[in-house]
Amino acid sequence: MKVFYDERQSVAANSSFSPSAEKPARVLDSWLKIGIPFEVCSFAPLTADEMAMAHDPFYVDGILSLEEPNGFGNKNPEVAGALPWVCGSMVAAALHTYKTGELSFSPTSGAHHACYAHGMCYCTFNFLAMAAIKVHQAGASKIGILDLDCHHGNGTVNIIDRLGIDYIRHYSFGLEHLKRGKAAEEWLMRLPEIISTFRDVDLLIYNAGVDPHIEDPLGGILTTRQMTLRDRIVFKAAKQLELKVCVSLAGGYQVDADGSIDKLLELHDTTFKAGWTAYENVTEKGASSFARE
Ligand SMILES: [Zn+2]
């Protein structure tokens, strides 16, 4: 299992309600403590031209030159400097998984609201779309984006429409408009069927948002048990279909008064463990205690 991480993709000092910019470093630290064996891989940042494959080139230049506000609504030069690395992480993970079939993670958030010519809602550049475009260029016929963030991936849809892309299959949990309780349970029962609609894709990008969690200020649907079940179902169903899967973090907004994001880290840890258990823990011998939970 690979994680495509570079410290240059994380920004510690970004003033925003969303902790997305600081998450890469925090999540990597948290994953290192779990005890799952994985390799941290280096990669190149994307160039402005590469990022403009999914966006208006003038928008890309406006962001990088600090003339336009980013998806957080500020012009923080550290965010602008991190963005080519953030996008590079997702693209590298997607290409690696497409070429090798190995499960990979990109500890990145803040993509799916980013439209062709503007950012919004803590999303500046749509690296999900960039990854799909790059993987298509590398030879893939169909790419799936399974977006289980709590909110609609409107930016991804906008880019697909704007560029007339016919090779991306897209599912957005946000469009389900689920209520908690019975409706959430019923959705979990339907989830294997939803995954099966991706059975013919050459790569599945799983946007594993943790903001559907019941205590998330911008979510409020799935309990901790249901979030765990969600990730187990996704990876188990995908593995049964022999899908190649790479994972992005997406949203999550549970921040304590002291700035702690421990609740988010626990949820991202759950996704990481579920992926490893389904895709890497192939022998009894390799099983560790948490895999047998
Ligand atoms: Zn969200």
Side-chain angles (χ1 to χ4, degrees):
M1 197 158 76
K2 301 275 195 290
V3 174
F4 287 81
Y5 171 78
D6 186 292
E7 61 183 15
R8 285 166 282 192
Q9 74 188 79
S10 211
V11 175
N14 182 41
S15 167
S16 172
F17 173 76
S18 168
S20 286
E22 66 168 284
K23 266 204 314 195
R26 305 286 305 278
V27 166
L28 187 83
D29 279 350
S30 192
W31 288 349
L32 285 166
K33 286 176 193 149
I34 296 174
I36 288 175
F38 68 92
E39 188 183 337
V40 180
C41 298
S42 59
F43 56 89
L46 291 199
T47 63
D49 284 347
E50 287 175 309
M51 291 187 279
M53 288 188 308
H55 291 285
D56 181 334
F58 292 105
Y59 171 61
V60 173
D61 287 344
I63 293 293
L64 297 179
S65 62
L66 306 180
E67 283 161 29
E68 293 226 29
N70 58 38
F72 299 103
N74 64 47
K75 294 183 181 178
N76 183 342
E78 287 184 43
V79 170
L83 283 165
W85 292 95
V86 171
C87 297
S89 165
M90 187 73 243
V91 166
L95 284 170
H96 173 78
T97 296
Y98 169 61
K99 287 173 184 165
T100 66
E102 187 179 22
L103 178 67
S104 69
F105 284 77
S106 168
T108 44
S109 332
H112 75 160
H113 294 305
C115 294
Y116 179 73
H118 63 91
M120 60 187 281
C121 301
Y122 319 121
C123 299
T124 308
F125 291 146
N126 198 316
F127 44 82
L128 304 172
M130 286 175 200
I133 291 167
K134 277 282 203 181
V135 169
H136 180 250
Q137 286 178 346
S141 307
K142 279 202 179 75
I143 298 103
I145 298 178
L146 174 69
D147 188 344
L148 300 192
D149 186 276
C150 199
H151 307 101
H152 179 217
N154 63 302
T156 309
V157 172
N158 173 265
I159 290 167
I160 290 170
D161 290 347
R162 182 71 174 67
L163 298 179
I165 292 173
D166 61 2
Y167 54 82
I168 296 177
R169 189 165 303 148
H170 180 242
Y171 169 86
S172 180
F173 175 80
L175 282 184
E176 298 275 358
H177 303 296
L178 282 190
K179 300 246 183 311
R180 62 179 71 169
K182 189 163 173 270
E185 282 296 323
E186 284 170 357
W187 176 78
L188 283 168
M189 299 280 283
R190 273 199 290 127
L191 187 51
E193 195 183 310
I194 293 166
I195 311 295
S196 74
T197 64
F198 292 100
R199 62 172 62 248
D200 60 341
V201 301
D202 300 308
L203 174 74
L204 183 65
I205 301 170
Y206 174 27
N207 200 36
V210 297
D211 53 7
H213 189 260
I214 200 153
E215 286 166 25
D216 195 285
L218 300 185
I221 301 171
L222 302 176
T223 63
T224 303
R225 178 190 67 81
Q226 289 171 328
M227 289 293 291
T228 304
L229 202 52
R230 176 197 75 165
D231 287 336
R232 287 182 182 170
I233 291 170
V234 167
F235 288 111
K236 192 177 168 197
K239 176 72 178 171
Q240 279 172 350
L241 292 166
E242 299 180 349
L243 295 179
K244 299 174 180 178
V245 179
C246 66
V247 186
S248 173
L249 304 178
Y253 303 93
Q254 295 187 64
V255 182
D256 288 340
D258 64 358
S260 155
I261 60 166
D262 289 353
K263 287 174 186 167
L264 294 183
L265 297 177
E266 277 177 33
L267 291 164
H268 289 306
D269 284 357
T270 298
T271 308
F272 198 66
K273 289 176 196 171
W276 183 81
T277 302
Y279 270 77
E280 301 287 318
N281 179 26
V282 288
T283 64
E284 272 298 307
K285 213 174 165 187
S288 66
S289 55
F290 58 78
R292 288 193 294 267
E293 280 168 6

